[in-house]
Amino acid sequence: MIAKTLEKPDDPAPQFSRIVVRPLRGRDGHLEQIRAGLLTTSEGRQGGITLLESPAGSGKTRLLQESGTLAEALGYTVLDCSTTGAWRGDETSSATGRSSATRIPRPVRPTGPVQIQAQIDAGLRRGPVLVVVDDAQWADPVQLRTLCGLALKLLTVPVRWLLTMRTEDARSANGLLLRNLTTHRAQWLPPLEPLDDQAVAELMGDLLGARPSDDVRALGESLGGSPQAIVELVRGLVEEQCLRIVGDTVSLAAEPLVSGFTSAVAADPGAHLPAAFLRLMRDRLDRLAPGTQRLLQVAAVLGPSFIPRDLAEMADERPVQLLGPLQESLAAGLLTSGAEEFSFHREPIWYAVLGTVPQLMRSLLHRQAANMILGQLGDGTAAAVHLVHCAHADDAQAITTIRTAADRLLPVSPQAAAALALRGLDITRPAQPAYLDLATTATAALVRSGSLHRAVEIAERVLTVHRHARPDHAGAPDGARPPDDPVDRSPSTWPLRAWLATALLLRGDAAAVPQVLQHATGPAGATVARHRQDGPSPLLLRLTMLSHLDERAALVAADEVLGDEATHHDDERSAARTIRATALWAEGRLDEALALLGPDAPPGGSTAGIWQGNALWNKAWVLIKLRRLDRAAATVEAIQRTIDTESNGVLEPLPYALRAWTRFACGDLCEAETLATAGLTASAEARMPLCEPHLRAVLVAVALRRGDLAEALERQAQWETTGTPDGPLRPWWAMRCLITAQVTAARRGAEQALEVLRAARQDAGLRRQLVLEDPSATAWCVRTALAAGDREFAARMADSAEHIAATAPDHPTVSAAAAHGRALLDGDGALLARAADDYTDPWAVASVTEDLGVLLGAGDREGAIGAFNTAMAGYDALGAKRDSARVRRRLRRLGVRRRHWNLVARPQTGWDSLTGAEEKVAHLVARGLTNRQVAGELFISPHTVSFHLRQIYRKLAIQSRVDLTRIVCAPGAPGAGHPFGGP
């Protein structure tokens, strides 16, 4: 998607779309009270006075504008008696400098008491009158007194007065004058509170004409809920070209803001904060007392959250002395208070405050904080966060603390471990022992969190640097140094090389692994001892590598492990079983393969070594292909639990691929497409391409089944450019070959499709792969071969299917596929009927029923019509429009016309455009559940929930959970009141 940098307001071609109407956000209660007052005046034919006192920048002027619009809609004449005019437009323009409303009230502006009285009299002849006075503190006291007297005089006629003033001037003479009106039925509106975070996001979306990203939204939410400050921020971001737009989302043009633990250890977390935001934050901080500013600076060094005891010790103050500054900070919206600690309201506030501390003083304060935590016998991880900002290479104790903390974080939070280890690596010298340890932890953490390219980059750089830093290397003569091998392969580097090899395998670079594994085993074949972070062993990596590069060698190595399982680790045995089971599956020995892969969900819900050779992954794929979908779903959940437990975010695309194919097999094309798209996003984020062929195959298959050939061809072209290795030895060859042949048949006919399948014509093993890839593959290949006049290939495919079925009698889908293929070859109606009974795949059932109709068409017209009607109903239920249309043509040849009333096209927008999964998410979100809670309810990942929400927002043209809640909970809304929108 093309990203555009947002231009300045005076640019001849701004990138913002024109905002037709900008709603007033966060002021519904005030507008309702004003509306009630206007109705009381117009219906009761008597006057009234409404007063509002609020801080500067809180949106008083904008409220008056909305009130004027509301009054005009109710038939009022609006008079503006403000000193500067409430409609001067300071807060109404969008970020592009354009008006944000199509129609702004044009009130009359009388210049003196006489003129005001005359205009009121003229207005009263047409109807009720609204007189507004904005910023009454600036009015001439004499004129304001006259206006107040006039207001009291006109209480018996339908004139409503609306006056505002700043809280800062409440004790001025004009402020006291307004307060005196309360004795004469004047109504005080409550002060305008700061906008909540949701209203801030909505306001920013209105100003920008697009949905603000999390980073942009965080900047707005850091300004204390001041509408004026938010408008100034947006204007500044646009003028300084700090924003870019991708699709319907506006994000920062610079690097994303760091957050969480990563920001705590970053050298300068606020380095990329926009200047416009920093200016506004300095203004906020300057309004604080000096003592409060100083205390906030100390608090910022402690981190985004801190406990009062630590702050008191750091500032050398008694707790009672903290009370005033903390209360002022809380009142200003800079801090929030929890049960045990205070926190900066948003991380950008923390960044900005921390940035005001001089670098030298910041380092000293971090050292003080680390010493304080260690002196309290506190968490070494908390101390390490401070030590990375002040330690140096000669500080062995500090480096040890950092390394230990990173190791402790690795199993529970790989992202935090990586951030801490990388910062420790910056401090440590290459010749120090901790250098390799930190690099190993960093690489392992980067692999687990999905930053594969970064992991490879760090590992290769460290291995090269360490080789040159070793004392034995430095003193060796030039002729003794291997000139073509810059990587250090000494035994001490093995743990780092193990994680480097893992990263290479996960990103599809198996060919680069042999060099990394060199010298990983001793002469007798004994593996190097497992390192402290339980990284993959040399044998496991070798098994995985060979499974990608040399199937025969992989089988030999796997059989060696299986012949002596007691001497090998669990993950090595799992990889060996997987390799042997894959070979058995390819030979058609299904039950043996399933038995070797083990239980669907191991006891305790965990498995050893959830890496590429894991048996559970392959068990899930096998179960999907056999259409044992309930068991497959349980296996996928076990995989997901293990990924979550072991914090292996790099593997997140795998459950998406498995679930996408499961939903496709169930006939849920929309959900399959959604899951595959989300999986590709996760794959791109991790840059882990191993699941990409499976994910892209789902998208092509969905488009083909829907009959959208153009979309199928486009998606196939994207699949071809993934760069994943191809060929009959690849695990996804059969899938790719079959789908490519089906697309080719739809585009160019059966003969061209057989050219795609040419490799399988003479190779029984490849034919078995095709038969086992999908329950409908045998019938499709036989049907296509017969259409192309190649009965020999059709017979070979049928024979292969029957051979497999004979060895696997307990799998109905396999038997049905064999019967279906043989029936097509021999024209056997009874076999077709038997296949229809045995199939568990809904599309295959419709397909065999259609084939039965074709067979019956020669002599049993009514039977053929009945079969075609059944097949068409099955296709319609699956959304298989292309297949349904084909059956409809067959019925027309028999003289029967069927209108496809049940094929209602899903609209592109609106509630009816939502998929079933999206409706479920919408209703749960409307009930107030978080993304993680929704994920728990629906047994999907939070990433999938986020993807569904983005689709919901786009289809419903909304920008927030509040908007979604209003739609779902509105009277008469689809599914209102039901948790999933159902009856």
Side-chain angles (χ1 to χ4, degrees):
M1 189 170 293
I2 299 175
K4 301 178 180 179
T5 301
L6 299 182
E7 309 290 344
K8 296 180 180 180
D10 56 354
D11 189 275
Q15 302 302 323
F16 288 119
S17 59
R18 180 180 177 88
I19 304 173
V20 178
V21 176
R22 176 163 73 84
L24 180 61
R25 301 292 186 180
R27 307 303 187 206
D28 292 349
H30 287 77
L31 278 177
E32 187 57 37
Q33 291 187 58
I34 291 171
R35 175 185 175 83
L38 292 171
L39 289 174
T40 298
T41 294
S42 60
E43 295 171 0
R45 309 301 295 171
Q46 60 181 359
I49 303 171
T50 301
L51 305 173
L52 174 64
E53 176 189 298
S54 285
S58 58
K60 301 185 302 300
T61 298
R62 181 72 178 85
L63 179 63
L64 286 184
Q65 293 167 354
E66 196 73 16
S67 301
T69 302
L70 178 61
E72 282 195 335
L74 294 174
Y76 274 76
T77 298
V78 182
L79 304 181
D80 181 10
C81 297
S82 308
T83 302
T84 54
W87 277 263
R88 58 189 182 278
D90 287 352
E91 293 187 280
T92 62
S93 59
S94 72
T96 56
R98 302 172 177 175
S99 172
S100 61
T102 55
R103 182 171 182 268
I104 294 178
R106 302 291 182 184
V108 179
R109 289 202 184 114
T111 57
V114 176
Q115 291 84 354
I116 292 174
Q117 179 71 67
Q119 292 295 340
I120 290 175
D121 291 342
L124 286 172
R125 286 194 289 272
R126 296 187 294 271
V129 175
L130 173 66
V131 182
V132 297
V133 181
D134 191 22
D135 285 329
Q137 71 275 358
W138 303 121
D140 178 79
V142 175
Q143 290 195 3
L144 183 60
R145 184 177 296 275
T146 303
L147 280 178
C148 291
L150 186 59
L152 296 174
K153 175 183 175 183
L154 297 177
L155 285 177
T156 57
V157 295
V159 178
R160 171 66 58 171
W161 298 75
L162 181 54
L163 299 92
T164 73
M165 70 174 304
R166 298 194 321 181
T167 302
E168 296 85 343
D169 299 292
R171 296 187 178 277
S172 65
N174 285 359
L176 296 174
L177 181 61
L178 292 185
R179 291 189 179 280
N180 288 334
L181 292 176
T182 57
T183 60
H184 301 279
R185 297 193 308 180
Q187 172 197 11
W188 279 96
L189 295 176
L192 296 175
E193 297 291 336
L195 298 179
D196 61 28
D197 290 344
Q198 188 60 51
V200 169
E202 293 170 350
L203 174 56
M204 296 187 79
D206 296 337
L207 293 167
L208 292 166
R211 184 177 65 86
S213 68
D214 290 343
D215 283 351
V216 175
R217 176 172 174 165
L219 295 179
E221 292 171 354
S222 299
L223 297 177
S226 166
Q228 184 181 50
I230 293 165
V231 171
E232 291 177 5
L233 172 66
V234 171
R235 190 181 299 278
L237 293 176
V238 174
E239 289 177 349
E240 295 166 15
Q241 300 188 26
C242 295
L243 302 174
R244 65 187 182 119
I245 186 167
V246 179
D248 62 348
T249 301
V250 174
S251 58
L252 295 177
E255 296 180 24
L257 300 177
V258 293
S259 60
F261 190 92
T262 303
S263 63
V265 299
D268 186 1
H272 301 292
L273 286 176
F277 173 76
L278 291 174
R279 286 195 300 272
L280 290 166
M281 276 304 306
R282 281 195 294 269
D283 290 343
R284 290 191 71 191
L285 295 174
D286 287 344
R287 291 196 288 270
L288 301 174
T292 302
Q293 294 184 45
R294 184 167 56 253
L295 199 70
L296 279 177
Q297 289 177 314
V298 176
V301 172
L302 286 172
S305 298
F306 56 92
I307 59 177
R309 182 191 63 187
D310 289 347
L311 180 60
E313 185 172 343
M314 284 285 293
D316 195 21
E317 300 275 10
R318 296 191 305 276
V320 68
Q321 294 173 300
L322 304 182
L323 189 58
L326 287 175
Q327 286 178 330
E328 184 180 8
S329 300
L330 289 168
L334 298 170
L335 296 179
T336 59
S337 177
E340 297 181 353
E341 62 183 14
F342 291 96
S343 300
F344 286 90
H345 178 65
R346 286 289 179 269
E347 286 200 342
I349 299 176
W350 171 52
Y351 305 153
V353 175
L354 188 62
T356 64
V357 182
Q359 183 61 46
L360 180 59
M361 290 303 302
R362 198 185 309 177
S363 177
L364 292 174
L365 288 169
H366 276 299
R367 173 63 72 174
Q368 180 183 350
N371 292 339
M372 175 188 69
I373 294 170
L374 293 174
Q376 297 170 349
L377 299 179
D379 183 8
T381 301
V385 170
H386 294 287
L387 289 173
V388 296
H389 296 287
C390 60
H392 50 79
D394 296 326
D395 193 341
Q397 183 177 359
I399 292 174
T400 299
T401 301
I402 294 169
R403 178 178 59 78
T404 303
D407 289 347
R408 189 183 300 118
L409 286 169
L410 179 57
V412 294
S413 179
Q415 295 91 341
L420 188 59
L422 288 172
R423 287 286 284 132
L425 204 60
D426 292 338
I427 300 168
T428 314
R429 296 192 187 100
Q432 292 178 281
Y435 188 72
L436 276 179
D437 292 336
L438 286 165
T440 300
T441 301
T443 305
L446 290 168
V447 169
R448 287 180 177 273
S449 60
S451 300
L452 296 178
H453 281 62
R454 178 72 170 144
V456 171
E457 174 193 340
I458 292 295
E460 289 181 340
R461 176 173 62 82
V462 168
L463 287 170
T464 301
V465 170
H466 185 265
R467 177 176 181 274
H468 290 282
R470 280 168 47 197
D472 57 332
H473 179 276
D478 291 341
R481 303 174 191 173
D484 299 326
D485 186 9
V487 175
D488 187 348
R489 303 190 190 286
S490 61
S492 63
T493 65
W494 165 248
L496 178 57
R497 285 190 287 135
W499 286 107
L500 170 59
T502 302
L504 291 170
L505 286 168
L506 286 170
R507 74 175 193 178
D509 292 344
V513 174
Q515 189 178 15
V516 177
L517 294 184
Q518 188 176 354
H519 308 311
T521 57
T527 60
V528 173
R530 303 294 292 275
H531 71 86
R532 57 185 171 79
Q533 290 301 351
D534 293 327
S537 71
L539 178 56
L540 174 60
L541 292 168
R542 181 168 175 267
L543 288 169
T544 307
M545 174 195 70
L546 290 175
S547 69
H548 283 264
L549 301 177
D550 189 337
E551 182 180 7
R552 182 167 300 180
L555 281 170
V556 171
D559 288 341
E560 290 177 358
V561 173
L562 296 176
D564 189 15
E565 292 194 36
T567 63
H568 294 89
H569 295 287
D570 289 344
D571 50 3
E572 294 166 349
R573 292 195 295 269
S574 177
R577 291 193 195 104
T578 298
I579 292 171
R580 173 46 67 188
T582 301
L584 291 170
W585 172 266
E587 294 171 8
R589 298 158 64 180
L590 310 188
D591 291 325
E592 293 178 69
L594 283 169
L596 200 55
L597 289 173
D600 300 348
S606 64
T607 62
I610 185 76
W611 299 102
Q612 295 175 66
N614 183 267
L616 205 57
W617 300 14
N618 293 275
K619 186 67 173 286
W621 287 120
V622 166
L623 291 172
I624 291 171
K625 291 176 182 180
L626 293 175
R627 294 306 188 257
R628 307 281 192 177
L629 299 182
D630 289 342
R631 292 174 59 188
T635 305
V636 175
E637 290 309 313
I639 292 172
Q640 185 69 68
R641 286 194 300 271
T642 305
I643 290 174
D644 294 340
T645 300
E646 301 186 1
S647 300
N648 281 324
V650 66
L651 303 178
E652 199 61 50
L654 176 65
Y656 281 114
L658 292 168
R659 290 188 179 111
W661 274 113
T662 301
R663 298 317 303 165
F664 182 84
C666 291
D668 189 347
L669 301 186
C670 290
E671 184 65 5
E673 184 177 45
T674 297
L675 288 166
T677 304
L680 286 173
T681 300
S683 183
E685 290 175 353
R687 302 179 76 175
M688 198 279 278
L690 292 183
C691 292
E692 195 166 342
H694 301 282
L695 293 163
R696 293 203 178 275
V698 174
L699 296 179
V700 178
V702 166
L704 192 63
R705 187 157 289 184
R706 285 175 173 163
D708 191 341
L709 183 57
E711 184 68 18
L713 288 169
E714 181 180 344
R715 290 175 174 181
Q716 186 185 25
Q718 294 171 344
W719 186 3
E720 298 291 341
T721 60
T722 56
T724 50
D726 200 6
L729 295 179
R730 309 309 301 175
W732 47 79
W733 174 84
M735 172 184 65
R736 190 168 195 163
C737 184
L738 181 62
I739 292 178
T740 301
Q742 291 173 342
V743 173
T744 303
R747 185 184 182 194
R748 297 179 178 174
E751 292 184 4
Q752 292 297 316
L754 285 192
E755 284 298 308
V756 179
L757 301 174
R758 181 172 48 190
R761 183 180 181 83
Q762 304 300 330
D763 192 320
L766 297 183
R767 289 196 297 275
R768 284 195 298 269
Q769 288 189 46
L770 286 173
V771 168
L772 292 169
E773 182 60 32
D774 187 272
S776 61
T778 300
W780 186 89
C781 289
V782 170
R783 192 184 303 112
T784 303
L786 292 175
D790 192 342
R791 188 172 182 82
E792 180 181 357
F793 180 56
R796 290 178 179 177
M797 287 297 301
D799 290 343
S800 295
E802 287 179 329
H803 175 75
I804 294 172
T807 62
D810 296 331
H811 300 286
T813 295
V814 176
S815 300
H820 193 175
R822 177 58 61 184
L824 288 174
L825 189 66
D826 297 344
D828 189 330
L831 268 182
L832 287 175
R834 193 186 86 185
D837 292 337
D838 289 343
Y839 268 133
T840 57
D841 182 299
W843 190 89
V845 171
S847 175
V848 72
T849 306
E850 179 188 358
D851 288 333
L852 180 60
V854 172
L855 187 63
L856 294 174
D860 183 357
R861 179 177 180 274
E862 293 303 318
I865 291 173
F868 286 146
N869 283 335
T870 302
M872 189 171 68
Y875 288 140
D876 287 348
L878 298 172
K881 299 178 183 179
R882 176 170 171 266
D883 301 308
S884 184
R886 183 181 61 249
V887 175
R888 196 170 290 106
R889 289 194 298 270
R890 297 186 190 280
L891 283 168
R892 281 201 296 270
R893 296 191 195 107
L894 295 175
V896 178
R897 293 188 175 274
R898 289 280 185 266
R899 294 184 178 182
H900 47 291
W901 298 111
N902 55 334
L903 274 182
V904 180
R906 190 185 298 278
Q908 297 298 309
T909 59
W911 184 267
D912 291 338
S913 70
L914 301 186
T915 66
E918 288 166 355
E919 282 193 36
K920 293 177 183 178
V921 170
H923 282 280
L924 289 172
V925 169
R927 285 167 48 190
L929 273 67
T930 66
N931 285 12
R932 186 165 295 278
Q933 290 170 331
V934 173
E937 289 279 335
L938 300 181
F939 301 100
I940 57 178
S941 75
H943 192 91
T944 302
V945 176
S946 298
F947 178 86
H948 284 318
L949 271 179
R950 289 195 295 272
Q951 300 303 311
I952 293 168
Y953 287 177
R954 176 181 61 79
K955 292 178 179 181
L956 300 183
I958 58 177
Q959 295 181 351
S960 69
R961 290 172 179 257
V962 172
D963 292 337
L964 178 58
T965 302
R966 289 171 179 164
I967 291 174
V968 173
C969 298
H978 300 289
F980 293 123

